């Protein structure tokens, strides 16, 4: 009999009030891994839950044993045809993965990312001033949603007029992981939902959009990432059309909901611990550690899954070939053996040991971590520059999914000195 | 489609125009800026295709204007297609071309003033634009840079256009005027296009810019406009060669820092780059990137081994402790810095 937790971690309802800390504590305390049955998928179906930091890192760093390509990277299974229809670098293993990373990496090196600092500052400043003028509102809607999607669109070269459509489509994408039913024909979709990422028709909409934008930039290149992606050649290799549209879609999703989540949690922490953030004004070095702590504590992506390519063992538990292995970053980030007072939010926590917010290490480590760091850093700076006080107006509403630690609505009151 | 060459007009020592009568009406009117794609075959029978921008129309005929491309060095062949046009094609001949096509087009829906910036033979599409704009309410500034009067094409035509239409203003720059060139008559400025010149000619102007010219010209113009604060979506451009993406200069150009007294030097062997180590850099991965060398990477935190690189000479030290240090003779660039002079196999 495989040992189990007393709860079903595949149930989105468990995450309705944030990370289920108590459950994860129990998971980390178990001797081996916990088996989580998925009775809807069959009698023997289920996945292993990995909760301790070191175990998560061991899985994450060993793509030969724990594959991203064989099986899905979310906990539920999908058919093989659906898998291949969706493939972007995040669901690949080396060497396919290596090739794609090589082709897109140049857009994400620190030297390039730094050039977005002032763009972020401009956007964040404007949005904060507007919101201050109103004395508050829904932080998610006014700040955490528009900044990350705005920056991704700036980076890719999506025209301003299409930004709302992008927000709508990404919202709709994540809705595919929640319980709500989706209109399969939205955005002119004709592909069966099961073949689409997140089973969402918005995935079709995004692909079509990417295709059009790519064609446009191929003909008339501009100063943006899309133009670069459709034209760049490295060692005689370039992205195929399909690889390009898949990557575009991956970026829009991966760079958006994640950073949004971190920004929403940032507001909650600033409301709860104003004194901690105040310290940054006199000790600038705390800005970087604050950003890391916000991501650790919010764990925007709760988990990713791998699939065992061979029989193996982890933490004393035997894993069979084909078993699903779920790395709970949201648990690893509170591992008391790695982080002192792990449950305490503390912006002075040293950068090392590093958290698993951007993944447990290894080749899939978040491509956009550098950008996310810049976005969070600048947002904090701009909040502090305006002496903004955030007060939570009503209990935050969480997105109903077990995949992102998203906040749906966060009503706040704001006071401070607008700059414009 | 086939075109009959109805006239050949020598525009300058190196530039000649060809008037072409289409055998059937074009499938649609061309938009100024567009080009035709000419097809021919090489001596070996391989197809060769070259683009030539439409530089104007006359009595329903389409005009293209071609520069003779000569070999940059003695033993190399001259440009195939342009030489053929200059030396072989004559009045009455048939040539094949497809189009009109292209994405570099005059935006006729805008009502902003227009600045047309060209270098050398890059003037062809913008001359067509100037004709289209003549007599409209849009102020049009035509700025053209070339070597001197001997190679200046379509100058008389542009002067006439400016005389006849109030909204067209010319400004010609010669890099090296000859004794025959008269300032004020043939050209306005000696030298190259400067930021001051653009600012003087377009004071406070919220304009649409169209650029066409050789690569270095385009890069310089694009960077200059960018520095002036012109939004990228106000700048349209065409390269007369393989398309390249213009981006604003990002960070400061990479100046190799002068080595601190006795500071280490890092050599990237395969890339042929040798630079003084900058102690302000966090690690060798970022240092390499600063100098334009792209190293494969994933995690940038010592856990994935992607940036593991062979050390040919010297040693490194690890201010950031990676998950596992690589074996002897290798370095994880994202976590290490040079410990004395270093040679890497990238
Ligand atoms: C959209 C567009 C519009 C254009 N419009 C115009 C226009 O209006 N007018 C115009 O004149 N041009 C225009 N061009 C450029 C034109 O299409 C041709 O590229 C140009 O005429 C050269 O073609 P070619 O066949 O003569 O030379 P190619 O045979 O392509 O050779 C190009 C150059 O390379 C040199 N060369 C040949 N072999 C070598 C070698 N082994 N090593 C080094 N160098 C070598 C040749 O001597 C020549 O100088 C346009 C291009 C584009 C893309
Ligand atoms: C706080 C914000 C963010 C968090 C918490 C986050 C989290 C993650 C995690 C956990 C992974 C690992 C996936 C795996 O191991 O399978 C990942 C991968 C990825 N992220 Fe992020 N991310 C964030 C922001 C961004 C941004 C801003 C971008 C893009 C601009 C981005 C693009 C990507 C991409 C492309 C991958 C796949 C990398 C690969 O497979 O090699 N992310 N991210």
């Amino acid at each position: 009999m495989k040992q189990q937790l007393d709860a079903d971690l595949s149930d989105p309802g468990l995450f309705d009030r944030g990370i289920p800390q108590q459950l994860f504590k129990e998971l980390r305390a178990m001797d081996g891994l916990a088996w989580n049955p998925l009775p809807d998928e069959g009698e023997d179906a289920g996945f292993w839950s990995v909760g301790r930091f070191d175990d998560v890192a061991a899985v994450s760093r060993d793509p030969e044993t724990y594959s991203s390509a064989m099986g899905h990277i979310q906990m539920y299974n999908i058919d093989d045809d659906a898998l291949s229809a969706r493939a972007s670098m995040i669901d690949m293993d080396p060497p396919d993965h290596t090739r794609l990373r090589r082709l897109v990496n140049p857009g994400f090196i620190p030297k390039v990312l730094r050039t977005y600092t002032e763009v972020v500052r401009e956007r964040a400043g404007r949005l904060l001033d507007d919101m201050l003028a109103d004395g508050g509102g829904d932080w998610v809607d006014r700040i955490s949603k528009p900044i990350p999607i705005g920056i991704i669109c700036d980076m890719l070269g999506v025209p301003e007029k299409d930004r709302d459509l992008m927000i709508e489509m990404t919202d709709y994408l994540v809705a595919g992981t929640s319980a709500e039913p989706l209109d399969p024909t939205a955005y002119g979709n004709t592909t069966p939902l099961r073949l689409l990422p997140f089973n969402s028709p918005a995935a079709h909409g995004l692909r079509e959009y990417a295709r059009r934008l790519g064609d446009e930039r191929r003909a008339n290149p501009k100063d943006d990432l899309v133009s670069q992606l459709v034209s760049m050649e490295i060692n005689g290799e370039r992205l195929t059309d399909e690889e390009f549209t898949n990557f575009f879609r991956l970026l829009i999703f991966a760079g958006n909901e994640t950073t949004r989540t971190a920004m929403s949690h940032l507001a909650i922490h600033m409301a709860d611990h104003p004194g901690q953030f105040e310290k940054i004004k006199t000790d600038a070095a705390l800005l970087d550690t604050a950003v890391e702590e916000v991501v650790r504590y919010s764990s925007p992506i709760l988990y990713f899954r791998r699939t065992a390519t061979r029989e193996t063992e982890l933490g004393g538990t035997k894993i069979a070939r084909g078993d699903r292995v779920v790395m709970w970053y949201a648990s690893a980030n509170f591992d008391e053996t790695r982080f002192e007072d792990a449950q305490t939010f503390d912006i002075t926590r040293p950068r090392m040991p590093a958290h698993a917010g951007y993944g447990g290490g290894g080749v899939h480590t978040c491509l956009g971590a550098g950008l996310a760091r810049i976005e969070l850093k600048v947002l904090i700076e701009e909040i502090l520059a305006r002496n903004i006080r955030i007060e939570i107006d009503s209990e935050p509403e969480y997105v109903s999914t077990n995949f992102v630690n998203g906040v749906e609505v966060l009503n706040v009151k704001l006071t401070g000195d607008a700059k414009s | 489609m086939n075109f009959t060459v109805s006239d050949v007009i020598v525009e300058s020592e190196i530039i000649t125009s060809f008037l072409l009568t289409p055998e059937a009406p074009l499938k649609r009117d061309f938009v100024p800026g567009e080009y035709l794609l000419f097809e021919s075959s090489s001596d070996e029978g391989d197809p060769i295709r070259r683009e030539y921008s439409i530089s104007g129309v006359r009595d329903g005929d389409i005009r293209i204007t071609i520069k003779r491309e000569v070999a940059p060095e003695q033993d190399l062949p001259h440009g195939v297609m342009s030489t053929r046009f200059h030396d072989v094609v004559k009045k009455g001949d048939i040539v094949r071309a497809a189009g009109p096509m292209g994405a570099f087009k005059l935006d006729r829906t805008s009502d902003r003033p227009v600045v047309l910036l060209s270098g050398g033979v890059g003037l062809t599409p913008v001359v067509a634009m100037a004709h289209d704009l003549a007599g409209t309410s849009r102020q049009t500034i035509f700025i053209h840079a070339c070597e001197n009067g001997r190679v200046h094409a379509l100058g008389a035509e542009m002067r006439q256009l400016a005389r006849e239409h109030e909204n067209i203003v010319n400004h010609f720059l010669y890099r090296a005027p000859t004794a025959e060139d008269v300032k004020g008559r043939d050209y306005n400025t000696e030298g190259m296009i400067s930021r001051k010149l653009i600012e003087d000619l377009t004071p406070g102007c919220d304009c649409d810019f169209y650029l066409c010219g050789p690569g270095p010209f385009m890069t310089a113009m694009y960077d200059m406009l960018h520095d002036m604060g012109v939004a990228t979506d106000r700048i349209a451009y065409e390269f007369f060669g393989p398309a390249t993406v213009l981006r604003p200069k990002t960070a400061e150009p990479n100046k190799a820092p002068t080595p601190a007294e006795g500071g280490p030097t890092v050599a990237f062997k395969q890339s042929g780059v040798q630079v003084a180590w900058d102690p302000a850099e966090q690690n060798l991965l970022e240092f390499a990137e600063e100098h334009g060398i792209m190293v494969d990477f994933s995690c940038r935190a010592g856990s994935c081994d992607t940036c593991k690189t062979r050390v040919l000479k010297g040693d490194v030290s690890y201010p950031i402790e990676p998950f596992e240090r690589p074996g002897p003779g290798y370095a994880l660039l994202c976590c290490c810095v040079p410990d004395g002079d270093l040679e890497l196999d990238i």
Side-chain angles (χ1 to χ4, degrees):
Chain A
M1 181 67 192
K2 299 166 177 170
Q3 60 174 344
Q4 296 184 8
L5 277 175
D6 226 0
D8 175 11
L9 286 171
S10 77
D11 173 10
L14 277 186
F15 298 82
D16 275 354
R17 299 175 63 81
I19 298 169
Q21 294 289 358
Q22 187 52 38
L23 262 177
F24 281 140
K25 204 174 206 160
E26 287 166 30
L27 175 65
R28 289 190 297 272
M30 280 184 165
D31 266 345
L33 310 178
W35 179 253
N36 197 118
L38 290 171
D40 288 354
E41 287 192 32
E43 209 178 311
D44 297 327
F47 59 86
W48 293 109
S49 275
V50 185
R52 281 180 295 271
F53 187 97
D54 288 348
D55 291 342
V56 165
V59 173
S60 192
R61 295 189 59 225
D62 184 1
E64 272 180 45
T65 311
Y66 302 101
S67 167
S68 296
M70 175 181 164
H72 194 22
I73 54 171
Q74 289 184 280
M75 54 178 60
Y76 55 93
N77 268 352
I78 53 177
D79 300 333
D80 284 351
D81 56 344
L83 268 183
S84 57
R86 294 170 176 199
S88 65
M89 70 172 145
I90 204 165
D91 3 49
M92 288 181 185
D93 294 331
D96 299 342
H97 171 266
T98 323
R99 171 177 169 272
L100 287 180
R101 271 297 280 245
R102 182 175 299 142
L103 286 170
V104 304
N105 272 347
F108 294 85
I109 62 176
K111 179 175 158 184
V112 170
L113 294 180
R114 273 195 294 274
T115 63
Y116 293 98
T117 308
E118 292 316 306
V119 184
V120 177
R121 195 176 305 287
E122 226 267 328
R123 278 192 181 275
R126 197 160 13 93
L127 292 167
L128 285 170
D129 285 341
D130 287 353
M131 197 171 172
L132 264 177
D134 295 344
D138 178 3
W139 180 269
V140 177
D141 202 43
R142 305 284 299 266
I143 304 289
S144 3
K145 255 189 207 186
I147 297 178
I149 188 70
I151 299 302
I152 290 285
C153 290
D154 287 337
M155 194 172 192
L156 286 164
V158 172
E160 195 75 43
K161 65 175 171 38
D162 296 336
R163 308 268 159 122
D164 287 341
L165 176 69
M166 289 290 140
I167 294 192
E168 187 193 306
M169 288 200 285
T170 38
D171 282 354
Y172 221 35
L173 206 53
V174 182
T177 63
S178 76
E180 294 158 48
L182 294 169
D183 172 6
T185 63
Y187 306 105
N189 179 48
T190 51
T191 311
L193 291 189
R194 63 179 195 86
L195 293 182
L196 290 171
F198 305 103
N199 300 331
S200 169
H204 169 84
L206 278 171
R207 177 174 58 213
E208 288 311 304
Y209 186 88
R211 200 197 308 280
R212 278 199 304 277
L213 191 62
D215 286 349
E216 219 172 283
R217 291 299 193 272
R218 212 173 277 118
N220 191 10
K222 289 199 170 178
D223 166 36
D224 56 35
L225 186 61
V226 166
S227 303
Q228 242 185 61
L229 290 172
V230 297
S231 67
M232 191 163 49
E233 237 178 64
I234 294 180
N235 301 339
E237 294 257 13
R238 60 163 70 216
L239 293 179
T240 65
D241 290 357
E242 177 96 3
E243 285 166 352
F244 162 69
T245 50
N246 281 342
F247 181 62
F248 181 97
R249 196 158 62 181
L250 174 64
L251 271 190
I252 291 274
F253 171 72
N256 193 15
E257 186 76 17
T258 47
T259 318
R260 177 193 305 179
T261 297
M263 288 184 168
S264 301
H265 285 272
L266 168 69
I268 299 175
H269 290 306
M270 288 188 103
D272 290 350
H273 313 282
Q276 285 198 29
F277 286 89
E278 212 45 40
K279 280 194 244 167
I280 298 173
K281 287 185 178 168
T282 50
D283 184 356
L286 293 180
L287 189 54
D288 287 335
T289 52
V291 167
E292 295 311 308
E293 182 66 347
V294 168
V295 173
R296 178 189 78 94
Y297 214 91
S298 59
S299 300
I301 301 268
L302 296 165
Y303 79 89
F304 265 116
R305 163 195 154 188
R306 301 290 191 258
T307 304
T309 58
R310 55 184 176 89
E311 195 172 296
T312 183
E313 198 186 300
L314 184 66
T317 299
K318 273 208 159 28
I319 295 174
R321 184 188 138 80
D323 276 1
R324 308 176 212 182
V325 179
V326 167
M327 302 173 285
W328 288 104
Y329 306 130
S331 171
N333 278 341
F334 294 90
D335 188 330
E336 37 291 280
T337 66
R338 184 171 175 93
F339 304 103
E340 216 172 293
D341 291 326
Q343 297 288 336
T344 307
F345 178 85
D346 177 6
I347 70 156
T348 68
R349 189 182 292 282
R351 267 191 96 135
M352 295 290 164
H355 61 78
Y358 297 112
V363 296
H364 286 286
T365 305
C366 179
L367 173 69
L371 184 64
R373 289 188 172 110
I374 288 175
E375 292 183 48
L376 287 165
K377 200 167 140 169
V378 171
L379 178 59
I380 296 175
E381 280 176 340
E382 292 306 297
I383 293 173
L384 294 176
R386 289 168 176 74
N387 298 312
I388 292 179
R389 274 300 161 93
I390 304 173
E391 226 183 293
I392 307 291
D393 226 8
S394 57
E395 190 70 6
E397 273 177 47
Y398 285 87
V399 182
S400 180
T401 149
N402 62 4
F403 178 55
V404 289
N405 190 18
V407 180
E408 188 84 59
V409 181
L410 181 64
N411 286 313
V412 298
K413 283 204 190 73
L414 288 195
T415 49
D417 322 316
K419 272 200 161 173
S420 56
Chain B
M1 149 152 74
N2 287 337
F3 292 82
T4 309
V5 178
S6 61
D7 205 356
V8 178
I9 306 139
V10 176
E11 308 282 4
S12 79
E13 281 184 6
I14 52 167
I15 296 178
T16 297
S17 289
F18 299 83
L19 278 165
L20 309 172
T21 317
E23 68 179 359
L26 294 184
K27 57 186 195 281
R28 60 174 174 80
D29 277 350
F30 82 101
V31 182
E34 287 187 311
Y35 60 84
L36 296 176
L37 182 60
F38 287 80
E39 206 182 278
S40 179
S41 50
S42 72
D43 297 339
E44 289 79 41
D46 299 327
I48 33 177
R49 297 192 182 84
R50 296 289 184 274
E51 304 86 348
Y52 292 101
S53 304
I54 299 172
S55 63
V57 283
R58 199 175 77 189
D59 307 330
D61 284 359
I62 287 182
R63 183 180 67 183
I64 54 169
T65 303
I66 301 182
K67 175 182 165 218
R68 178 195 287 277
E69 296 292 348
V70 295
E73 282 171 39
Q74 242 189 356
D75 296 332
L76 295 173
H78 296 307
V80 187
M81 188 74 106
S82 60
T83 308
R84 194 167 295 179
F85 264 101
H86 277 258
D87 293 349
V88 181
V89 173
K90 54 186 191 311
K91 200 167 157 174
D93 283 359
I94 305 278
V95 293
R96 278 189 64 74
M101 59 180 92
F104 179 64
K105 287 189 274 221
L106 178 65
D107 177 4
R108 287 163 160 158
T109 63
S110 161
D111 54 8
R112 283 183 289 272
V114 186
V115 181
L116 305 172
L117 278 168
S118 61
V121 77
L123 90 173
T124 52
V126 291
V127 164
M129 291 182 186
H131 278 285
D132 199 70
L133 289 159
T136 68
S137 61
R138 296 174 76 183
Q139 177 72 20
T140 301
I141 302 173
F142 183 92
I143 304 173
H144 176 65
C146 62
E147 205 51 25
N148 53 44
R150 306 228 303 253
V151 296
H152 185 183
L154 306 174
E157 173 175 327
M158 282 309 301
R159 277 187 213 103
Q160 188 185 348
L161 196 68
R163 270 198 308 275
E164 289 171 1
H165 299 279
E166 231 171 43
N167 71 318
I168 307 279
V169 174
N170 286 322
H171 195 97
F172 299 133
L173 296 96
Y174 287 179
R175 198 184 66 85
T178 64
E180 286 106 77
D181 295 328
V182 179
K183 187 167 175 172
R185 182 192 74 186
D186 302 310
Y187 69 101
N188 308 86
T189 302
E190 177 173 346
M192 318 242 260
I193 301 176
S194 65
R195 174 171 175 167
K196 181 165 183 313
L197 178 86
I198 305 267
E199 282 170 347
D200 288 350
L201 289 173
T202 64
C205 167
D206 177 22
C207 317
D208 293 339
F209 289 86
Y210 293 85
L211 321 181
C212 187
F217 169 87
M218 303 278 286
T219 315
M221 289 301 110
Y222 191 85
D223 283 345
M224 188 180 76
L225 294 176
H226 187 74
D227 286 347
M228 285 167 58
V230 178
T232 52
D233 59 1
R234 288 289 160 76
I235 310 174
Y237 54 82
E238 181 94 292
F239 275 103
F240 279 7
T244 313
V245 184
L246 286 178
R247 315 183 97 248
K249 303 193 286 295
T250 44
E252 284 288 289
N254 296 322
K255 290 186 217 87
T258 25
E261 198 64 42
T265 304
V266 183
F268 300 97
K269 178 143 185 270
Q270 293 183 31
S271 319
V273 172
Q274 181 164 348
V275 261
W277 168 250
D278 176 1
E281 287 292 345
Q282 310 279 324
N283 54 61
L284 275 161
L285 176 59
E286 258 185 72
F287 179 69
E289 289 167 349
E290 285 293 335
H291 293 282
I293 296 157
M294 277 304 300
V295 182
D296 283 352
F297 69 83
S298 268
C299 76
R300 309 185 78 93
S303 74
C304 74
D305 280 2
T306 311
C307 65
K308 191 165 92 177
T309 300
R310 217 147 71 88
V311 178
L312 299 170
K313 268 189 219 130
D315 267 316
V316 297
S317 61
Y318 287 88
I320 302 163
E321 194 52 46
F323 241 80
E324 238 171 82
R325 291 203 185 187
Y330 286 89
L332 273 186
L333 300 192
C334 67
C335 297
C336 70
V337 297
D339 195 4
D341 289 352
L342 189 67
E343 188 178 39
L344 296 171
D345 194 14
I346 33 172

